[in-house]
Amino acid sequence: MVTILLATLNGEDYLKAQLESIAAQTYENWQLVVGDDGSTDDTINIIEEFSEKHPDQVTIIKNDPPQGSAKDNFISLLRNSYGPYFMFCDQDDVWKPDKIYLTLQKMESLEARYGDKIPILVHSDLSVADSNLEMIAESFFQYADIPKRIVLNQLMVQNSVTGCTVMINRCLQQYFLRELPISKIIMHDYWAALIAKVFGKIGFVNESTMYYRQHGNNSVGAKNAKNPVYLYHRLKEGKNSYRRMMIESMEQVQGFVDTYGEEIDSLDVYELLACYGELYYKGKLRRLSFYKNNHVLKEGNVRKLMQWLWG
């Protein structure tokens, strides 16, 4: 069975299409757990109507008080749900019919090879679409110019795991049951990717399993990294904005080491993470030396340039 975790907040415009795409999955042994964060539109009614059609498969949690962010909502859902496998689901996307099947197939092959006693994360490519589901790009990874192959040196500074494509196993879920430095976690999917990379395995389905709808109100949207207009605005945001994001990534890694450091078997991995977590307190030359010597660099020439200039 697969437990689908859906975080909602005023999602009436696109929620029905997402729910219908879940109901149309070729893999039918799913449970849907919805965490609503205080919607004031028709979101709850839409979910309840869907629940009436699938009475044994839907659980609705009304957060009171609200969790306050998508990250907090998803982490709360993960902590209060059960199952061997969990998938993250956004309220405004549309899943292709084989999404669960293909992702679970990859997960089961990894567990057959490595066992289910290690944390495993599986993610996939996705198609970028506009608000009307008209295609913008067949491949999100090509569109955003991010790597499919995940190495820890790069993951620390740049997440390339998209949460709405993710499935994790029960072993990885257990890492979320600890006392977590919530304020230092950038996003739930980023934290899950770090856990899987340090302690387990990450698998990738090299095809699009869903439509990633872009409508202007996305919590995290798809950006065309090769578009000159995007690059201009990104550079225009300037040094302070970039440094703030770099500090956030360092604080996240610092929180990761504080939480799980005693369990990291590899001294090299521990030192890499620990040094990066403390890096912003060092001088600029020390930071640049660390990036170069440890190959801690973002993907893409413009991203690398900003990292050398402002990181």
Side-chain angles (χ1 to χ4, degrees):
M1 192 205 34
V2 173
T3 300
I4 302 167
L5 307 178
L6 170 60
T8 61
L9 174 62
N10 294 332
E12 64 178 6
D13 290 342
Y14 306 113
L15 183 56
K16 283 185 180 180
Q18 176 64 294
L19 294 173
E20 289 170 1
S21 74
I22 292 172
Q25 289 295 297
T26 57
Y27 180 87
E28 298 178 349
N29 189 17
W30 51 263
Q31 291 285 328
L32 177 66
V33 182
V34 183
D36 185 76
D37 220 27
S39 291
T40 56
D41 63 1
D42 206 35
T43 293
I44 291 295
N45 290 332
I46 293 170
I47 298 167
E48 289 177 342
E49 288 176 7
F50 184 76
S51 178
E52 290 173 3
K53 297 177 183 177
H54 306 274
D56 299 323
Q57 291 181 278
V58 180
T59 301
I60 303 171
I61 301 172
K62 299 177 183 178
N63 298 326
D64 187 17
Q67 295 293 333
S69 71
K71 173 191 74 175
D72 292 344
N73 199 352
F74 275 116
I75 290 176
S76 177
L77 282 170
L78 193 55
R79 285 175 154 174
N80 292 284
S81 301
Y82 305 91
Y85 308 109
F86 304 84
M87 298 183 79
F88 300 125
C89 180
D90 290 346
Q91 65 185 6
D92 45 9
D93 300 321
V94 171
W95 288 12
K96 296 183 180 181
D98 286 341
K99 184 180 194 296
I100 298 178
Y101 172 78
L102 291 172
T103 311
L104 182 60
Q105 186 179 51
K106 185 68 174 181
M107 172 66 75
E108 290 178 336
S109 70
L110 289 170
E111 286 195 336
R113 182 175 181 181
Y114 299 107
D116 61 2
K117 304 304 181 186
I118 68 167
I120 298 175
L121 178 151
V122 175
H123 66 124
S124 75
D125 203 346
L126 55 166
S127 299
V128 183
D130 67 14
S131 59
N132 298 314
L133 295 181
E134 295 293 332
M135 190 71 70
I136 295 174
E138 293 282 354
S139 169
F140 169 74
F141 281 83
Q142 292 181 6
Y143 184 73
D145 192 22
I146 57 176
K148 295 179 179 179
R149 179 174 176 266
I150 295 177
V151 294
L152 182 59
N153 312 58
Q154 192 169 57
L155 180 63
M156 294 190 304
V157 72
Q158 179 184 23
N159 183 29
S160 55
V161 169
T162 309
C164 52
T165 73
V166 162
M167 175 185 287
I168 65 173
N169 66 353
R170 180 187 283 120
C171 183
L172 199 156
Q173 180 227 16
Q174 300 301 301
Y175 284 78
F176 276 87
L177 304 184
R178 322 279 185 87
E179 184 176 346
L180 298 178
I182 298 293
S183 64
K184 292 185 177 181
I185 296 175
I186 295 173
M187 282 297 282
H188 57 287
D189 54 354
Y190 203 163
W191 192 259
L194 286 167
I195 293 168
K197 190 62 188 175
V198 172
F199 297 109
K201 299 293 179 182
I202 295 179
F204 182 67
V205 177
N206 193 23
E207 61 180 280
S208 167
T209 62
M210 58 172 284
Y211 298 100
Y212 189 28
R213 194 196 300 259
Q214 304 298 295
H215 51 78
N217 294 315
N218 303 74
S219 294
V220 179
K223 302 294 189 295
N224 183 355
K226 299 177 183 178
N227 185 316
V229 176
Y230 164 72
L231 297 176
Y232 168 75
H233 286 294
R234 187 67 191 85
L235 288 168
K236 190 177 178 181
E237 288 177 4
K239 177 172 64 176
N240 292 337
S241 172
Y242 189 85
R243 283 188 172 174
R244 184 170 61 251
M245 289 190 294
M246 292 294 289
I247 292 171
E248 288 173 355
S249 73
M250 293 169 189
E251 288 180 339
Q252 176 173 248
V253 168
Q254 187 180 61
F256 188 90
V257 172
D258 290 342
T259 305
Y260 309 116
E262 293 182 358
E263 302 165 51
I264 299 174
D265 293 331
S266 169
L267 181 60
D268 288 342
V269 169
Y270 179 87
E271 289 182 345
L272 177 69
L273 292 168
C275 289
Y276 184 71
E278 299 176 352
L279 194 59
Y280 201 76
Y281 305 108
K282 312 297 182 183
K284 176 71 176 289
L285 292 179
R286 289 280 297 278
R287 296 199 300 272
L288 295 180
S289 176
F290 178 87
Y291 299 148
K292 179 181 178 182
N293 294 335
N294 295 281
H295 307 289
V296 178
L297 293 169
K298 294 190 176 188
E299 183 77 8
N301 292 331
V302 174
R303 293 190 183 107
K304 286 186 176 72
L305 175 62
M306 288 189 289
Q307 189 175 344
W308 288 122
L309 288 175
W310 299 331

